[in-house]
């Protein structure tokens, strides 16, 4: 599919869209003017797409330096009366939370939607925190789509809701929604969101805006304000609304509490909270309350297994529509709560039952029916339903009273181990039906395929150089702490490098190094990527110098945000919309922060790398090494000749195989070989081979 | 040609960079164009760094895009051991279609593991499943014009089995909508090569 379809597609067209693509279309249909993000899986594709089509969509888009700044860009844009869209992964909201919570206090004039993508089962994150907790912490409306169509529709609805109550709206996806593809029927695009060169007649209702009706050629990269491709607004000052000094903030909090109370009536009536009828004539009335991706599994299992249980799906799940919940549960004999990850709705439902003096068993995570960790699967849901349903005799032989007692006792028991691994990985249970012992054995012996640093990745050369320098200085492995950060280089955790001993969050490698420096007499080397350095590395670097800590900081500058797919960052001469932009120098930042040892190296030059690290490790203070070499995944790089082994000289020491662990080098038939299809020709192996048995292959 | 549940589930697996997601999107789009409901789950993440990639495609009245254990109608493996890893989704009637050329994990020598012999994998699969189709994908792709058409060879193989619910024409149309026009002829040949490899195997 041509991504331009997201802009050009007409109302009624059907496209097969990724959840993240649907979010982009939703933003376009809603007439978003300002969008911002810091890339993070599973939300990254939204930014990748916007960077390509923002101009066609009449939208400003930036890759902000971090999520907090992205949040601030969106908040002040919305305060100015424009619709703004900010998106990030779940842990990004931690970074943004300070401004996020205050933006909910101040409220907005234009609509503002904050999309946060959770990662249950931790496909590519450092935790599986549940963003629904933030809806409660910050007190703002919360939407949970279950498929790409709903992502698009709820984006649009989110902006309407946001403007109606002057409050930001939080929209939560999970990996399985962001990376789910489904059929999406497109809707109308808001007239103000047609790019200027498509605009014949600007119907903008914002009287203070100085929007330009430029009719042609507005897609040029001109800085001329009159040719700007997105709508501009006019910020009307109102200190009582926008400046939360204590006196104002107390008033804001009061207003916020009132808003949320009013929005709860909207949630109670919302058709995003919908009942799916499955109970035809079962005497025993069980029900299911589910949200987001978890709803999909619950629906499929109830449908396929002919379980006669009605399902209440909550798409608008905060403020929690308590009247709606009460209506649904009041006549039930028991209710399953199906939610990923924390038992949040379950607690809300228990509160509704308690307040109404209803004695109905609730089957959720608190009593071990559903696991407290992991994303769900249809198999997990079936297994969890069966923990209860297997106790029911559908022939009606059991008196309802007795059954009710039994269900109630189950509903409050905590004896089921909810930490056990989900049933999906337990082949033994299904051996008879699907997996034979022979197949199970074959599966057991399969080699793993962990992600590794790519062939030609300069991080490998840096890590090799660091280890060599420590060895030459006689520093024992346990005396050298590697403080790591979030990026591809975290893969250094694996042998043979083992260059990750402590990791918390974006930018933490430097702050953690400060702590290790104060707390221990061990040597410390921290590793941080270029994009991560800009994101969260600058304040801790200033801290390190000012507080006289001692460690070696390595900025692994591979000229891109590699881990999330190669987005630009402030160290590059290009911005999020592909325009030229000032390039910020990491070296100059380090010097300005007061670092007295700042060296930029090409890590592929091994001898220089080793020598620089040796000097840095001896330096009394914060030594900064910028290891600068482009990521091999950056497109359009000149292809280099691959390496080859000179078999006559190779003495099979296997140092290259075992200490470099390059995907291109392996052993086959008692020989070391280099796969020229994989080799990027970086030449690191050529330099480290003591026998000089590796050379450039002449083609 | 739906199963008794009026649905069809395809589990596609392999290694990053093999074109797995594109192949899945093409099948999904073809299903949409033929008027079916369809959902697809993709696992991206670390795929470009040599990791495992898999997608789950469900055609029919489903809300969830995760295939239950033992419920896949087709396992489409772009790589032999990844096809084996996908067998948790297979039952005795599942069509197991896989490319026979291994991509050896680069960590093999560090982890002291061995890559199983392909002939042994094929023999064990044939012992345990009724419909096993090993495909010499690289050879057929080269014949079509380039190794890069491997994913279209496997797409052709996937749609050749007699239970596949979508027409070849619909799949080809979706291919054309998703791949660069310059390579349409090569990719058409690749689809034919894969298609014929399975058809000749059946007869």
């Amino acid at each position: 599919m041509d991504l331009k379809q997201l802009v050009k597609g007409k109302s009624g067209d059907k496209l097969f869209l990724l959840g993240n693509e649907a979010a982009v279309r939703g933003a376009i249909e809603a007439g978003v003017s300002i969008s911002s993000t810091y890339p993070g899986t599973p939300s990254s594709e939204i930014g990748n797409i916007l960077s390509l089509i923002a101009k066609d969509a009449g939208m400003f888009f930036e890759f902000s330096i971090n999520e907090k700044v992205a949040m601030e860009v969106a908040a002040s844009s919305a305060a100015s009366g424009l619709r703004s869209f900010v998106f990030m992964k779940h842990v990004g909201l931690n970074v943004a939370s300070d401004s996020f919570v205050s933006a909910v206090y101040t409220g907005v004039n234009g609509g503002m939607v904050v999309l946060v993508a959770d990662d249950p089962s931790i496909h590519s994150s450092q935790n599986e925190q549940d963003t629904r907790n933030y809806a409660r912490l910050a007190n703002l409306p919360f939407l949970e789509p279950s498929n790409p169509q709903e992502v698009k529709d709820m984006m649009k609805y989110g902006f309407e809701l946001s403007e109606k109550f002057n409050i930001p709206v939080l929209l939560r996806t999970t990996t399985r929604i962001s990376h789910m593809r489904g059929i999406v029927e497109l809707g109308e695009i808001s007239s103000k969101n047609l790019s200027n060169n498509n605009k014949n007649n600007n119907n903008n209702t914002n009287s203070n805006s100085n929007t330009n009706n430029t009719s042609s050629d507005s897609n040029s990269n001109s800085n001329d304000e009159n040719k700007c491709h997105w709508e501009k607004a006019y910020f009307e000052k109102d200190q009582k609304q926008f400046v939360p000094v204590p006196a104002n903030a107390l008033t804001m909090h009061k207003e916020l509490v009132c808003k949320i109370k009013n929005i709860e009536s909207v949630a109670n009536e919302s058709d995003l909270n919908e009942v799916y009828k499955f109970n035809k004539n079962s005497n025993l009335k069980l029900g299911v309350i589910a949200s987001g991706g978890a709803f999909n599994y619950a629906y499929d299992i109830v449908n396929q297994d002919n379980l006669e249980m009605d399902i209440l799906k909550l798409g608008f799940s905060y403020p929690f529509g308590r009247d709606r919940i009460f209506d649904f549960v009041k006549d039930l004999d028991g209710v399953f709560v199906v939610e990923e990850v924390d038992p949040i709705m379950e607690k809300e439902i228990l509160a509704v039952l308690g307040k109404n003096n209803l004695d109905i068993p609730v089957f959720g995570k608190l009593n071990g029916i559903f696991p407290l960790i992991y994303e769900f699967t249809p198999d997990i849901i079936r297994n969890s339903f069966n923990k209860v349903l297997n106790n029911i005799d559908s022939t009606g032989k059991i008196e309802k009273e007795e059954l009710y007692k039994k269900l109630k006792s189950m509903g409050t028991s905590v004896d089921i181990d909810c930490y056990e691994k989900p049933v999906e990985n337990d082949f033994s249970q299904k051996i008879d039906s699907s997996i034979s012992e022979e197949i199970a054995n074959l599966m057991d012996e399969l080699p793993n395929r962990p992600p590794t640093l790519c062939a030609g990745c300069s991080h490998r050369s840096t890590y090799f150089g660091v280890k060599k320098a420590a060895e030459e200085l006689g520093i024992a492995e346990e005396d050298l702490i590697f403080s790591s950060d979030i990026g591809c280089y975290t893969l250094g955790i694996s042998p043979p490098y083992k260059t990750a001993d402590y990791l918390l969050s974006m930018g933490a490698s430097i702050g953690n190094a400060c702590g290790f420096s104060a707390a221990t007499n061990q040597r410390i080397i921290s590793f941080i990527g270029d994009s991560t350095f800009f994101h969260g590395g600058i304040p801790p670097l200033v801290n390190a110098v000012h507080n006289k800590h001692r460690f070696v900081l390595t900025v692994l500058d591979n000229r891109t945000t590699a881990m999330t797919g190669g987005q630009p960052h402030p160290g590059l001469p290009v911005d999020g919309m592909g325009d030229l932009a000032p390039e910020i120098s990491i070296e100059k930042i380090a010097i300005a922060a007061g670092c007295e040892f700042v060296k930029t190296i090409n890590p592929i030059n091994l001898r220089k790398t080793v020598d620089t690290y040796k000097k840095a490790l001896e330096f009394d203070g914060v030594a900064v090494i910028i290891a600068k070499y482009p990521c091999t995944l950056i497109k359009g790089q000149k292809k280099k000749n691959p390496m080859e082994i000179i078999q006559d000289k190779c003495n099979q020491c296997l140092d290259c195989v075992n200490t470099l662990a390059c995907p291109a080098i392996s052993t086959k038939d008692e020989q070391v070989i280099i796969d020229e299809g994989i080799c990027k020709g970086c030449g690191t192996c050529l330099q480290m081979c003591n026998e000089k048995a590796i050379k450039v292959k002449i083609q | 040609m739906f199963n008794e549940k009026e649905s069809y589930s395809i589990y596609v697996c392999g290694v990053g960079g093999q074109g797995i997601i594109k192949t899945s999107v093409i099948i999904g789009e073809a299903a949409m164009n033929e008027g079916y409901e369809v959902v697809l789950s993709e696992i991206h993440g670390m795929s470009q760094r040599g990791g495992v990639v898999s997608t789950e495609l469900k055609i029919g009245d489903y809300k969830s895009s995760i295939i239950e254990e033992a419920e896949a109608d087709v396992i489409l493996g772009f790589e032999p051991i990844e096809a084996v890893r996908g067998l948790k989704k297979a039952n005795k009637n599942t069509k197991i279609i896989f490319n026979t050329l291994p991509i050896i994990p680069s960590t093999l020598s560090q982890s002291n593991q061995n890559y199983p012999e392909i002939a042994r994998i094929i023999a064990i699969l044939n012992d345990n499943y009724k419909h096993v189709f090993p495909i010499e994908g690289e050879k057929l792709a080269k014949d079509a014009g380039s190794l890069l058409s491997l994913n279209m060879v496997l797409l052709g193989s996937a749609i050749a089995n007699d239970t596949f619910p979508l027409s070849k024409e619909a799949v080809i149309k979706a291919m054309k909508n998703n791949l660069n026009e310059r390579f349409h002829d090569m990719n058409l040949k690749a689809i034919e090569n894969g298609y014929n490899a399975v058809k000749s195997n059946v007869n």
Side-chain angles (χ1 to χ4, degrees):
Chain A
M1 188 197 73
D2 179 1
L3 287 172
K4 296 264 159 97
Q5 287 287 102
L6 293 173
V7 184
K8 289 185 192 151
K10 296 197 172 47
S11 178
D13 285 359
K14 284 184 176 176
L15 297 176
F16 191 51
L17 297 185
L18 201 62
N20 283 338
E21 293 169 352
V24 171
R25 174 67 187 196
I28 294 170
E29 287 184 9
V32 166
S33 300
I34 305 289
S35 51
S36 52
T37 191
Y38 182 84
T41 310
S43 71
S44 306
E45 292 83 4
I46 304 174
N48 296 348
I49 296 165
L50 282 176
S51 72
L52 296 173
I53 65 170
K55 288 182 178 176
D56 297 307
M59 206 185 288
F60 169 85
F61 169 67
E62 73 170 40
F63 285 113
S64 303
I65 200 167
N66 62 31
E67 293 87 352
K68 182 167 180 284
V69 175
M71 184 69 70
E72 289 150 1
V73 167
S76 47
S77 297
S80 306
L82 295 179
R83 284 192 168 184
S84 69
F85 173 39
V86 57
F87 48 97
M88 58 197 66
K89 69 182 296 173
H90 59 327
V91 288
L93 189 55
N94 298 340
V95 176
S97 59
D98 207 353
S99 293
F100 169 66
V101 173
S102 292
V104 177
Y105 266 46
T106 64
V108 292
N109 288 336
M112 172 170 167
V113 170
V114 181
L115 182 153
V116 176
D118 283 4
D119 190 19
S121 277
I122 319 186
H123 295 278
S124 47
S125 304
Q126 65 267 40
N127 71 30
E128 60 179 355
Q129 70 186 45
D130 188 331
T131 293
R132 296 179 302 159
N133 291 301
Y134 268 110
R136 277 122 185 120
L137 186 141
N139 219 4
L140 82 170
F142 194 74
L143 305 176
E144 287 185 75
S146 297
N147 56 52
Q149 179 78 55
E150 289 182 1
V151 171
K152 181 191 81 65
D153 294 345
M154 286 191 191
M155 281 286 296
K156 214 169 171 180
Y157 174 69
F159 283 101
E160 289 161 16
L161 186 69
S162 172
E163 271 167 21
K164 188 169 174 202
F165 291 94
N166 302 107
I167 190 170
V169 169
L170 189 53
L171 188 149
R172 178 219 199 190
T173 65
T174 56
T175 301
R176 294 294 179 176
I177 304 301
S178 289
H179 288 171
M180 174 190 207
R181 226 173 251 279
I183 301 170
V184 177
E185 183 172 339
L186 307 184
E188 289 291 343
I189 293 181
S190 156
S191 62
K192 72 174 177 183
N193 211 51
L194 295 169
S195 73
N196 286 340
N197 50 352
N198 295 330
K199 240 182 239 181
N200 297 320
N201 196 359
N202 191 328
N203 297 324
N204 195 338
T205 52
N206 190 340
S207 57
N208 285 316
S209 106
N210 60 355
T211 309
N212 298 291
N213 295 332
T214 321
S215 58
S216 65
D217 297 322
S218 61
N219 273 356
S220 71
N221 293 346
S222 165
N223 286 326
D224 183 343
E225 204 184 315
N226 292 327
K227 290 204 172 177
C228 166
H229 72 262
W230 67 94
E231 179 189 19
K232 293 266 184 166
Y234 189 87
F235 174 68
E236 289 189 71
K237 297 184 183 190
D238 181 352
Q239 293 178 332
K240 281 205 169 347
Q241 187 187 349
F242 292 122
V243 187
V245 292
N248 291 347
L250 270 175
T251 312
M252 288 175 192
H253 196 191
K254 185 179 159 196
E255 284 168 3
L256 173 58
V257 171
C258 292
K259 277 182 196 173
I260 287 296
K261 198 172 167 225
N262 291 332
I263 299 171
E264 185 173 339
S265 350
V266 180
N268 276 322
E269 301 300 320
S270 173
D271 53 15
L272 298 179
N273 299 334
E274 191 185 354
V275 175
Y276 293 79
K277 291 271 182 198
F278 285 98
N279 192 353
K280 295 184 194 84
N281 45 26
S282 169
N283 214 6
L284 182 74
K285 284 192 192 148
L286 294 176
V288 178
I289 298 177
S291 73
F295 161 78
N296 295 333
Y297 311 125
Y299 179 96
D300 282 354
I301 295 299
V302 167
N303 188 28
Q304 288 167 37
D305 294 1
N306 296 315
L307 307 177
E308 296 210 1
M309 305 195 286
D310 291 345
I311 304 173
L312 171 60
K313 173 174 127 185
L314 294 181
F316 191 155
S317 63
Y318 189 83
F320 203 63
R322 287 172 288 188
D323 293 349
R324 186 61 178 273
I325 298 295
F326 175 73
D327 270 354
F328 181 74
V329 297
K330 65 180 191 300
D331 298 322
L332 294 177
D333 297 314
V335 61
F336 289 96
V337 186
V338 186
E339 57 185 326
E340 289 168 327
V341 173
D342 292 340
I344 292 173
M345 296 198 302
E346 186 178 355
K347 288 177 183 168
E348 298 256 26
I349 291 162
L350 286 167
V352 170
L353 294 176
K355 198 172 177 211
N356 291 284
N357 288 318
L358 287 176
D359 193 6
I360 298 169
V362 174
F363 308 109
K365 292 164 181 270
L366 294 173
N367 46 22
I369 304 294
F370 295 89
L372 272 163
I373 49 177
Y374 300 113
E375 65 174 4
F376 287 163
T377 65
D379 293 292
I380 290 175
I381 299 301
R382 176 179 286 124
N383 185 51
S384 294
F385 280 164
N386 285 342
K387 285 179 189 173
V388 173
L389 302 180
N390 286 345
N391 285 289
I392 297 170
D393 185 341
S394 60
T395 61
K397 276 180 192 159
I398 302 178
E399 288 295 313
K400 199 176 164 189
E401 189 105 333
E402 197 180 314
L403 179 59
Y404 187 73
K405 240 189 273 170
K406 199 169 179 182
L407 287 181
K408 244 172 66 182
S409 70
M410 283 207 62
T412 53
S413 72
V414 285
D415 59 343
I416 301 165
D417 180 10
C418 47
Y419 305 107
E420 68 189 286
K421 231 176 169 1
V423 65
E424 62 163 354
N425 292 330
D426 185 0
F427 298 121
S428 62
Q429 291 198 2
K430 288 214 174 187
I431 273 180
D432 288 331
S433 63
S434 57
I435 304 276
S436 70
E437 204 180 327
E438 190 181 21
I439 294 289
N441 289 341
L442 178 61
M443 289 169 94
D444 276 347
E445 71 174 83
L446 296 182
N448 301 328
R449 199 185 290 280
T452 53
L453 295 174
C454 305
C457 174
S458 62
H459 301 338
R460 173 178 294 101
S461 315
T462 304
Y463 287 155
F464 185 86
V466 165
K467 304 282 271 199
K468 193 87 184 156
E471 188 189 310
E472 289 181 13
L473 288 176
I475 303 171
E477 201 169 290
E478 59 273 20
D479 290 335
L480 183 57
I481 302 173
F482 296 113
S483 183
S484 192
D485 223 300
I486 308 279
C488 295
Y489 44 91
T490 320
L491 291 169
I493 188 175
S494 304
Y497 329 109
K498 295 197 277 182
T499 45
D501 297 321
Y502 196 75
L503 170 69
L504 293 179
S505 65
M506 294 284 289
S509 58
I510 305 176
N512 291 146
C514 295
F516 286 127
S517 164
T520 75
N521 283 325
Q522 286 156 285
R523 304 295 188 92
I524 305 142
I525 299 183
S526 69
F527 296 106
I528 189 169
D530 40 353
S531 188
T532 311
F533 176 76
F534 286 110
H535 177 288
I538 300 169
L541 178 59
V542 174
N543 180 77
V545 176
H546 179 71
N547 289 303
K548 295 167 284 187
H549 292 299
R550 177 182 171 168
F551 59 91
V552 180
L553 163 62
T554 311
V555 183
L556 296 157
D557 183 4
N558 63 357
R559 318 300 297 146
T560 187
T561 313
M563 179 76 160
T564 47
Q567 295 81 2
H569 60 64
L572 298 166
V574 62
D575 68 15
M577 292 185 287
D579 291 336
L580 288 176
E583 183 178 340
I584 314 297
S585 159
I586 296 173
E587 190 171 296
K588 284 183 185 165
I589 289 174
I591 292 166
C595 300
E596 287 170 7
F597 184 111
V598 180
K599 306 272 184 227
T600 298
I601 56 166
N602 173 359
I604 301 296
N605 182 337
L606 276 188
R607 194 60 248 169
K608 185 82 189 292
T609 300
V610 174
D611 289 344
T612 310
Y613 271 99
K614 281 166 78 173
K615 283 184 199 132
L617 280 163
E618 307 273 73
F619 183 77
D620 186 14
V622 179
V624 178
I625 296 177
I626 301 160
K628 196 168 177 177
Y629 192 82
C631 170
T632 63
L633 296 174
I634 297 173
K635 293 204 170 87
Q637 294 186 70
K638 202 178 155 216
K639 207 171 177 297
K640 291 183 182 149
N641 284 341
M643 303 293 132
E644 70 177 331
I645 305 284
I646 308 164
Q647 295 296 351
D648 295 346
K649 285 192 180 177
C650 177
N651 67 354
Q652 309 281 322
C653 71
L654 301 186
D655 270 2
C656 57
V657 176
N658 295 328
T659 63
L660 268 186
C662 174
I665 309 177
S666 58
T667 50
K668 193 181 182 185
D669 306 328
E670 312 276 301
Q671 279 195 332
V672 179
I673 53 162
I674 295 178
D675 184 328
E676 60 175 286
I678 300 175
C679 176
K680 297 282 180 197
C682 75
T684 303
C685 55
L686 178 149
Q687 298 169 66
M688 58 77 66
C689 177
N690 291 328
E691 303 302 317
K692 301 200 184 326
I694 300 177
K695 67 177 177 79
V696 179
K697 182 167 184 174
I698 307 300
Q699 290 179 313
Chain B
M1 280 297 197
F2 273 1
N3 57 28
E4 71 276 9
K5 285 192 295 191
E6 306 265 304
S7 62
Y8 204 77
S9 299
I10 307 168
Y11 186 77
V12 191
C13 48
V15 180
Q18 289 191 298
I20 288 160
I21 287 172
K22 188 59 94 181
T23 307
S24 313
V25 170
I26 289 171
I27 302 174
E29 249 186 54
M32 176 179 79
N33 292 336
E34 297 239 298
Y36 295 113
E37 290 297 320
V38 56
V39 281
L40 167 67
S41 178
E42 306 173 2
I43 284 297
H44 302 187
M46 299 295 280
S47 55
Q48 277 185 301
R49 288 141 198 92
V52 177
V53 173
S54 66
T55 69
E56 313 191 19
L57 188 83
K58 290 165 80 173
I59 304 172
D61 182 23
Y62 287 113
K63 296 213 183 287
S64 130
S65 52
I66 306 295
I67 301 171
E68 285 166 55
E69 282 180 34
E71 294 290 339
D73 293 287
V74 171
I75 303 272
L76 185 62
F78 278 55
E79 201 278 348
I81 63 166
E82 296 314 320
V84 175
R85 249 191 272 276
L87 290 176
K88 59 180 185 281
K89 303 279 187 185
N91 58 51
K92 304 292 174 220
N93 294 315
T94 301
K95 310 284 185 285
I96 298 162
I97 302 161
F98 68 100
N99 180 25
T100 52
L101 193 78
I103 297 178
I104 311 283
S106 62
T107 50
L108 205 64
S109 40
Q110 273 89 47
S111 60
N112 281 324
Q113 290 176 304
N114 291 310
Y115 194 102
E117 291 290 326
I118 300 302
R120 195 176 135 238
I121 292 178
I122 294 174
I124 293 177
L125 288 179
N126 275 321
D127 282 351
N128 287 276
Y129 298 92
K130 289 187 219 158
H131 311 284
V132 179
F133 302 97
I135 304 290
E136 291 182 287
E138 268 76 6
K139 197 178 110 189
L140 297 173
K142 270 187 198 158
D143 177 72
S146 163
L147 266 180
L148 292 174
S149 68
L150 170 71
N151 60 343
M152 291 302 104
V153 170
L154 288 158
L155 175 64
S157 308
I159 66 176
N161 79 77
D162 53 7
T163 61
F164 194 77
L166 309 176
S167 73
K168 196 166 156 191
E169 292 68 36
V171 172
I172 287 171
K173 199 177 145 206
M175 179 277 283
K176 289 184 174 169
N177 189 38
N178 277 281
L179 300 178
N180 190 322
E181 202 176 339
R182 281 199 296 150
F183 303 114
H184 281 181
D185 287 343
M186 173 182 85
N187 286 316
L188 270 176
K189 180 139 199 277
I191 290 175
E192 286 300 330
N193 282 354
Y195 187 88
N196 293 333
V198 167
K199 279 289 177 202
S200 62
N201 208 327
V202 172
N203 298 327

